[in-house]
Amino acid sequence: MGRVAKIFAIGSAALGVIAPAALANGALHPFERELLQTHNDARRDFGAKPLRWADDLARDARSYAVVLSRKGSLEHSPASTRRGEGENLWQGTDRAFTAGDMIGRFVDEKRYFKPGKFPDVSRTGKWVDVGHYTQIVWPWTEEVGCAVASNDRDEFLVCRYRPTGNIYDWPIAPK
């Protein structure tokens, strides 16, 4: 606990071994670009508008990714601390996955998705089986920011979304 070997700081200078996230000209770092592109590929396939990258969401995500890397396990942050931000979490072996792999795990939930009013949106009967995917393609979400922090074993990805998705009794269906 408390050992953070490195932090991939998306949206500000890196504190670890990877690199600064934002380039001097304001362009996205390649890892950020891949995270955003993978989100937007899923949204395009669903018929939703593309998301914009938000540095403030990435900073929020980074802060919580550090907490998770120190803890060594996943647990959603309290909704009261997110100020209306949605959240997707992922954990995997350090340096074994690309940004596309990480977001791709969420998008893979598409196979269980069925159109409907949230939370009745899963063919399994359990909305948690599609909740990452529905947050990514939620039609009213406009912005995303993500960050990764690592410990000696695992990477912890946190993505934050604004406005949040997965709102009870709201319809969600591809266009």
Side-chain angles (χ1 to χ4, degrees):
M1 189 112 159
R3 61 178 204 265
V4 178
K6 65 190 161 309
I7 300 167
F8 182 59
I10 300 176
S12 67
L15 302 174
V17 297
I18 304 216
L23 304 176
N25 64 2
L28 295 178
H29 182 277
F31 190 82
E32 286 178 325
R33 219 176 15 256
E34 186 177 356
L35 288 167
L36 181 61
Q37 187 62 53
T38 307
H39 275 86
N40 284 334
D41 288 347
R43 290 178 66 84
R44 182 193 62 240
D45 293 346
F46 192 79
K49 293 179 183 175
L51 297 174
R52 295 181 310 274
W53 188 263
D55 287 337
D56 64 318
L57 292 176
R59 280 190 301 275
D60 291 348
R62 181 182 66 244
S63 294
Y64 196 60
V66 170
V67 169
L68 295 176
S69 69
R70 289 181 177 147
K71 184 177 179 179
S73 61
L74 293 181
E75 178 181 334
H76 280 287
S77 62
S80 61
T81 66
R82 286 188 254 139
R83 302 176 317 278
E85 298 171 2
E87 181 177 74
N88 275 342
L89 307 177
W90 177 91
Q91 176 182 355
T93 303
D94 189 24
R95 297 181 186 249
F97 299 90
T98 67
D101 293 334
M102 294 171 184
I103 302 304
R105 302 295 167 134
F106 301 149
V107 175
D108 285 346
E109 295 173 0
K110 175 182 180 178
R111 67 181 178 257
Y112 302 121
F113 173 78
K114 70 172 187 171
K117 282 190 177 180
F118 193 86
D120 186 23
V121 293
S122 175
R123 286 186 263 231
T124 68
K126 299 175 192 165
W127 74 264
V128 296
D129 292 338
V130 298
H132 300 102
Y133 174 69
T134 54
Q135 173 59 83
I136 287 172
V137 299
W138 196 259
W140 298 275
T141 297
E142 299 175 349
E143 297 177 302
V144 65
C146 304
V148 172
S150 300
N151 60 25
D152 291 340
R153 189 187 73 207
D154 290 325
E155 291 181 311
F156 296 83
L157 170 73
V158 177
C159 290
R160 294 284 178 89
Y161 304 86
R162 186 174 43 228
T164 189
N166 296 347
I167 300 172
Y168 276 70
D169 293 323
W170 283 40
I172 180 167
K175 300 226 186 245

